[in-house]
Amino acid sequence: MITLFYMGIVLLGPALAIKAVLGFPVIWSILIVCGVSVIYTTIGGFKAVIWADVFQGVVMLIGLLAVLIKGTIESGGPSEVFRLGEEGRRLDMWNFDPDPRVRHTFFTLIFGGFTTMIGRALEQASMQRVFSVPKMRDAQKLLYIAGPMVTITMGIACFQGLVAYAYYSKLACDPLAARRITNPNQIIPLLVIDMFSSYPGMSGLYMASLCSASFSTLSSGYGSLSAQTVKDFIEPLTNIQSEKAKLFIAKLSVVLYGSISVGISILLSSLSGSFISIVIGLLGSISGPVTGMILLAALVPFANSKGALIGTLFGLSLTSWITAGRILSPTLMNTPTLPPAPSDNCPITNSTMTPFNYTMEAFIKIDYYKQYEPKGADNIYSLSYIIIGGIGMLTALVVGIIVSWITGCNPAEEGDEIYYINVGAISEKDCRKCCRRSRKMGKFKITSNPEKVPVDDTDKENPRLAVISK
């Protein structure tokens, strides 16, 4: 479910950009992008997805850096970009207001960003790559490289938004105020057109980088969903033994999941607001509790199925209630957009919504929101969208621990040692009380009988690999 929602969101991004650049209908763009990714994922398989991700990642970074460098130069340099961003309140991270209802503060960004990245690291598509390498040391190297690269890429994307604001501040014409675009998610494609209008092919390069980012994510998601379908549903529930039949089902499932994600993307295209807030808000309400369930299983030795199920359902209920309230509450006032860029040089049109009127309306909404005080359940609904996933994760984890402790552990639910993370916070006595898991020499030893089972330490580099080799 999480991956399907995410695929729908990823499909929507390039569709909005293509509409801004070419005026192409959003629905047709969604169908084309999905069709391309489904075709090469189905034909090429996992290895094709990996190599395509590498190539597409290079193209994506080239496009990002081209926009970043050119935009910074046009805006007057890095110091001017940050100065204009500070004046325009685009650097709200340094707001230390502890109120969790404030959209962006230092605390909400750190907490929300941290929990979001945990969820991304533990999702099925990420784990599929980790388990595809032959050795644990290779998996560790993969994560050591991927972690900094994700951080750098996210930093580049954030700075790109800052550059876009600085560029149009220098021009003194906000594109939304001038009605050049109607969706704030189309600002970056418009920036590319404006900056590289005299450079043939550069707009196409950026569109290629944007589509590459989407193709990479879509192919990974469809591949992971098809593998999960075969391993978790087809093999346990059917008697199909033929590898060709399993392969056919896997390919057919890619087409099915692609069709579902197209429907989700079309539904999401009707939502208004920032693209990133839609991604984090909607996905966080689902992925947060699931991440809490995974952490419960990995960190808590006495966790059981009852605790995992009840904790996850409790977290999902809470985040779903908050998300639904944010959308449906008639008394909740949505957080207004930040002040627009200057519009002094925008051309005057015959439209009733002139740049001046647009700017004045934006500031009136901001002033009115400062005086607004939510009441009752609206205090919960107005929580920052970025922390909803973290709330679901902590709720599922805490409730799961409590329920597991109360209901006790079932020896039949014992898992493999390699899936547990020793945090050194649970005493040996507690571990022995639950399923006779003992803590010895810094490792959890798992057994369902009272006899002590020696741990195989033949692999000096990583003793846990001995468990796999058995």
Side-chain angles (χ1 to χ4, degrees):
M1 180 62 72
I2 301 171
T3 305
L4 277 176
F5 264 98
Y6 188 47
M7 296 301 100
I9 293 170
V10 170
L11 277 173
L12 185 58
L16 293 174
I18 292 172
K19 181 181 179 181
V21 175
L22 303 175
F24 205 64
V26 171
I27 295 178
W28 283 106
S29 299
I30 291 173
L31 291 171
I32 292 173
V33 172
C34 179
V36 172
S37 59
V38 165
I39 288 172
Y40 81 77
T41 302
T42 303
I43 295 176
F46 186 67
K47 184 176 290 188
V49 169
I50 293 294
W51 279 108
D53 284 354
V54 173
F55 176 75
Q56 290 162 353
V58 172
V59 175
M60 178 187 69
L61 286 176
I62 291 174
L64 286 173
L65 291 174
V67 175
L68 202 65
I69 294 171
K70 177 67 173 175
T72 303
I73 295 173
E74 293 285 339
S75 302
S79 60
E80 185 68 6
V81 169
F82 280 101
R83 185 188 69 81
L84 292 170
E86 184 71 31
E87 290 180 356
R89 293 182 52 199
R90 263 56 182 182
L91 296 175
D92 278 350
M93 180 178 178
W94 307 116
N95 179 2
F96 291 94
D97 189 343
D99 189 350
R101 297 173 301 175
V102 179
R103 184 181 177 87
H104 291 155
T105 67
F106 177 83
F107 302 107
T108 57
L109 288 171
I110 293 297
F111 174 72
F114 178 71
T115 54
T116 299
M117 294 311 296
I118 291 177
R120 295 287 292 146
L122 295 177
E123 68 178 2
Q124 204 274 340
S126 301
M127 289 296 99
Q128 187 181 34
R129 281 158 171 71
V130 171
F131 290 122
S132 67
V133 296
K135 298 180 181 178
M136 186 174 292
R137 181 169 292 276
D138 294 334
Q140 292 170 343
K141 290 179 181 179
L142 185 154
L143 293 175
Y144 290 148
I145 296 172
M149 287 300 296
V150 170
T151 304
I152 292 171
T153 304
M154 294 298 292
I156 290 175
C158 292
F159 189 64
Q160 191 178 61
L162 203 60
V163 166
Y165 176 79
Y167 178 83
Y168 287 110
S169 294
K170 282 288 186 180
L171 294 180
C173 184
D174 188 295
L176 286 166
R179 311 303 292 173
R180 296 184 62 193
I181 55 175
T182 58
N183 192 319
N185 300 306
Q186 297 172 329
I187 288 179
I188 297 297
L190 181 66
L191 173 70
V192 173
I193 295 174
D194 290 343
M195 286 197 310
F196 295 107
S197 58
S198 59
Y199 296 84
M202 287 303 298
S203 297
L205 174 63
Y206 177 77
M207 291 305 302
S209 69
L210 184 62
C211 290
S212 293
S214 297
F215 287 147
S216 173
T217 305
L218 290 169
S219 59
S220 301
Y222 293 147
S224 65
L225 286 172
S226 66
Q228 195 171 15
T229 299
V230 173
K231 289 294 181 182
D232 293 348
F233 297 99
I234 302 301
E235 291 184 355
L237 302 178
T238 67
N239 294 322
I240 298 176
Q241 302 295 330
S242 172
E243 293 298 325
K244 288 184 178 180
K246 293 179 183 178
L247 181 61
F248 175 78
I249 294 173
K251 292 183 176 182
L252 187 64
S253 67
V254 172
V255 179
L256 174 63
Y257 290 130
S259 302
I260 296 174
S261 63
V262 166
I264 294 173
S265 185
I266 293 173
L267 289 175
L268 293 175
S269 64
S270 61
L271 297 178
S272 60
S274 169
F275 192 68
I276 191 66
S277 66
I278 295 174
V279 173
I280 297 178
L282 285 179
L283 285 181
S285 63
I286 304 174
S287 63
V290 175
T291 302
M293 178 186 65
I294 296 172
L295 292 177
L296 174 71
L299 296 174
V300 183
F302 54 83
N304 58 30
S305 59
K306 294 184 181 69
L309 178 62
I310 295 175
T312 304
L313 291 177
F314 202 95
L316 280 172
S317 301
L318 180 60
T319 55
S320 299
W321 171 58
I322 296 175
T323 303
R326 290 169 61 88
I327 298 173
L328 301 176
S329 176
T331 57
L332 179 67
M333 181 178 179
N334 294 325
T335 305
T337 59
L338 292 171
S343 56
D344 302 356
N345 294 337
C346 289
I348 303 298
T349 64
N350 294 327
S351 173
T352 55
M353 180 59 75
T354 64
F356 175 78
N357 292 341
Y358 178 89
T359 303
M360 288 301 299
E361 182 178 307
F363 278 102
I364 290 172
K365 288 181 179 179
I366 293 172
D367 290 337
Y368 183 72
Y369 186 78
K370 290 179 180 178
Q371 303 172 8
Y372 167 73
E373 187 64 32
K375 298 179 181 179
D378 284 348
N379 283 288
I380 305 298
Y381 302 150
S382 58
L383 289 172
S384 173
Y385 71 93
I386 202 171
I387 67 172
I388 293 177
I391 292 173
M393 183 189 76
L394 292 179
T395 301
L397 183 59
V398 172
V399 173
I401 290 174
I402 295 172
V403 173
S404 296
W405 183 262
I406 293 174
T407 58
C409 192
N410 182 2
E413 296 178 354
E414 290 287 347
D416 201 319
E417 178 184 358
I418 62 172
Y419 300 118
Y420 292 92
I421 302 173
N422 181 16
V423 294
I426 302 174
S427 68
E428 181 179 351
K429 182 179 179 181
D430 291 336
C431 292
R432 285 177 175 174
K433 279 183 178 179
C434 193
C435 293
R436 303 182 179 89
R437 293 189 183 125
S438 63
R439 185 174 179 270
K440 183 178 179 183
M441 297 178 63
K443 301 187 289 291
F444 281 118
K445 182 174 60 179
I446 302 171
T447 176
S448 58
N449 60 68
E451 299 179 4
K452 292 184 177 180
V453 179
V455 178
D456 188 350
D457 287 336
T458 54
D459 189 332
K460 300 299 181 183
E461 180 180 341
N462 196 331
R464 296 189 175 200
L465 288 178
V467 178
I468 305 176
S469 63
K470 292 180 181 180

